[in-house]
Amino acid sequence: MSPTRVLVLNSGSSSVKYQLLDMREHTRLAAGLIERIGEQTSLLKHTVIATGATREHSGPVADHQAALKAVAEELAKDGLGLDSPELAAIGHRVVHGGMFFTEPTVIDDDVLTEIERLIPVAPLHNPANLTGIRTAMALRPDLPQVAVFDTAFHTTMPESAARYAIDTKIADRHRIRRYGFHGTSHAFVSRATARLLGKDVEDTNVIVLHLGNGASASAVRGGRCVDTSMGFTPLEGLVMGTRSGDLDPAVIFHLRRVGGMSMDEIDTLLNKRSGLFGLCGDNDMREIDRRIGEGDKEARLAFDIYIHRLKKYIGAYYAVLGRVDAVAFTAGVGENAATVREAAVAGLEGLGLAVDGALNVARGDGPRLISPAHARVAVAVVPTQEELEIATQTYELVGKDD
């Protein structure tokens, strides 16, 4: 029997998230996280899915090579090591693939060179992704390594949605266009929503709202993205935990010329000190909800600004799609914050959108509808499974069939 396991690696600048999946039944075997790589207080948390048993280790992890070796050791303790003949491939999340990578790709030297060339448009993410890839390749040089790109799902956007209205020669020279991010999540959730409705993906139009600390919306027609809220970088679009989202670019000029701020200070302001955090000092929606319940006006205003932006994108993408079968909420806030879901569709009854109060507040682990029976447009909560999506795309590419 051909090997059926896929290890998924998500390498950040100071962390590595991982999951080992068996693609025969699309089941998770193990999952874990190493954070604070390069510090004395590094932490590894490893979970065996079948038993729920969790192991934690603290102490220095010098670099990504040491981190991945630690991952291999933890997996080996459960008989799931990287040397297992059942391991078919390693799938890597890569944030930015530009326009060159439109689908999952087996990694070779040319692929590594192109990912490296994209570092200027993804300076925080692509270097860390590359480090994880190179380390994994050194550990298992005989094994197929596959890159799955956050931007790939959005490469189906028409030029009318992907282009900014600036000089085309300058834009092309510097690769300036709208790329979009969270693509693996939007791909998975749009298909899962179609299944929930009992419809073919090709016949289903979905507005996907990926609401976490980072947040993005997408308009998906027949399984293909036709617009998305994030653009050249993940800064554009919705109000997020610490990112501003949409902003008049002249604000940057003003802060530089009048405010005397450096470009690095402005970058930090817009990416790390804005959004919900900049408005009220908290970027955790649970804490904001608590503060609103106590009458906190700053928290209330932050929530209202967040919802206002969200409604604007729902309405815009309704217009882009023409017909909407479902609005799907996903990711940490989307899956857990009933107040956000209720407020986001309140007043949109004319568009066929509403939530059932009891269904909305009920907890659940799987995809579920929270709209009233016989609603014209379904409203759904669909837990995202980005690692499963990466594993599925990786497994399909390397051609390992049961």
Side-chain angles (χ1 to χ4, degrees):
M1 182 180 294
S2 298
T4 58
R5 293 176 183 170
V6 174
L7 176 64
V8 175
L9 294 176
N10 181 355
S11 300
S13 58
S14 61
S15 67
V16 173
K17 296 179 184 178
Y18 62 94
Q19 284 194 20
L20 181 67
L21 301 97
D22 191 311
M23 302 313 293
R24 273 183 297 235
E25 302 292 337
H26 285 195
T27 54
R28 295 190 305 153
L29 302 176
L33 166 68
I34 300 180
E35 54 188 351
R36 299 195 291 274
I37 295 171
E39 301 180 18
Q40 294 297 310
T41 57
S42 305
L43 177 66
L44 184 153
K45 184 176 182 180
H46 176 89
T47 300
V48 181
I49 304 303
T51 63
T54 296
R55 298 190 294 268
E56 291 191 12
H57 305 285
S58 59
V61 177
D63 51 29
H64 282 73
Q65 183 174 2
L68 286 187
K69 286 182 178 178
V71 170
E73 290 171 2
E74 288 302 316
L75 290 169
K77 291 176 183 178
D78 307 310
L80 304 170
L82 265 63
D83 58 350
S84 169
E86 295 187 59
L87 190 60
I90 298 178
H92 298 267
R93 180 198 180 204
V94 180
V95 167
H96 214 309
M99 292 303 295
F100 188 82
F101 297 110
T102 61
E103 55 190 16
T105 304
V106 174
I107 300 168
D108 57 20
D109 289 342
D110 291 339
V111 172
L112 289 172
T113 298
E114 186 62 23
I115 295 172
E116 194 163 18
R117 285 182 60 209
L118 287 163
I119 286 176
V121 293
L124 298 179
H125 299 94
N126 275 30
N129 300 154
L130 279 167
T131 300
I133 291 169
R134 287 177 171 138
T135 303
M137 291 177 78
L139 288 173
R140 281 298 306 267
D142 60 312
L143 201 65
Q145 311 265 342
V146 175
V148 178
F149 299 89
D150 271 16
T151 50
F153 182 65
H154 303 303
T155 58
T156 58
M157 284 192 295
E159 287 292 277
S160 56
R163 286 275 187 179
Y164 290 110
I166 64 174
D167 183 288
T168 55
K169 292 181 180 178
I170 292 175
D172 290 345
R173 185 182 311 139
H174 299 288
R175 302 187 181 197
I176 297 171
R177 62 185 291 119
R178 303 186 65 252
Y179 293 103
F181 299 89
H182 294 146
T184 52
S185 177
H186 287 281
F188 177 87
V189 170
S190 58
R191 289 200 303 272
T193 302
R195 289 195 297 270
L196 179 64
L197 300 180
K199 297 170 64 73
D200 291 334
V201 172
E202 295 77 10
D203 298 326
T204 308
N205 291 355
V206 185
I207 297 172
V208 179
L209 304 173
H210 177 109
L211 308 179
N213 193 50
S216 60
S218 67
V220 183
R221 177 184 292 125
R224 294 168 62 86
C225 177
V226 295
D227 206 350
T228 192
S229 58
M230 285 180 168
F232 180 64
T233 74
L235 183 59
E236 186 180 355
L238 302 174
V239 175
M240 304 177 221
T242 64
R243 298 182 190 131
S244 66
D246 291 339
L247 185 80
D248 182 343
V251 170
I252 297 170
F253 311 147
H254 183 81
L255 291 173
R256 180 73 183 93
R257 294 168 180 162
V258 179
M261 295 177 68
S262 70
M263 295 308 296
D264 286 344
E265 288 173 331
I266 296 170
D267 189 303
T268 299
L269 169 68
L270 298 182
N271 278 289
K272 298 181 179 180
R273 292 173 42 214
S274 294
L276 293 170
F277 179 79
L279 290 167
C280 71
D282 272 310
N283 61 321
D284 188 323
M285 190 59 72
R286 293 166 296 188
E287 184 64 15
I288 291 171
D289 272 343
R290 184 193 65 77
R291 287 172 56 183
I292 290 172
E294 296 176 351
D296 189 305
K297 292 182 179 179
E298 277 191 348
R300 177 82 257 177
L301 178 59
F303 183 87
D304 289 346
I305 293 171
Y306 182 95
I307 295 298
H308 179 77
R309 186 81 55 83
L310 194 52
K311 280 189 176 183
K312 284 174 67 175
Y313 271 92
I314 293 172
Y317 287 170
Y318 205 117
V320 167
L321 291 170
R323 187 200 85 241
V324 175
D325 297 299
V327 173
F329 290 86
T330 193
V333 174
E335 295 171 28
N336 296 295
T339 54
V340 169
R341 297 191 296 261
E342 180 182 15
V345 301
L348 301 182
E349 292 82 6
L351 299 178
L353 289 165
V355 297
D356 178 286
L359 294 176
N360 187 37
V361 298
R363 307 292 293 182
D365 294 329
R368 63 192 189 277
L369 294 175
I370 60 171
S371 46
H374 311 300
R376 180 155 54 95
V377 178
V379 180
V381 178
V382 181
T384 190
Q385 296 188 49
E386 293 176 87
E387 289 81 9
L388 175 58
E389 179 69 18
I390 293 170
T392 299
Q393 292 189 28
T394 297
Y395 190 64
E396 289 176 352
L397 181 62
V398 299
K400 304 296 184 183
D401 297 319
D402 191 345

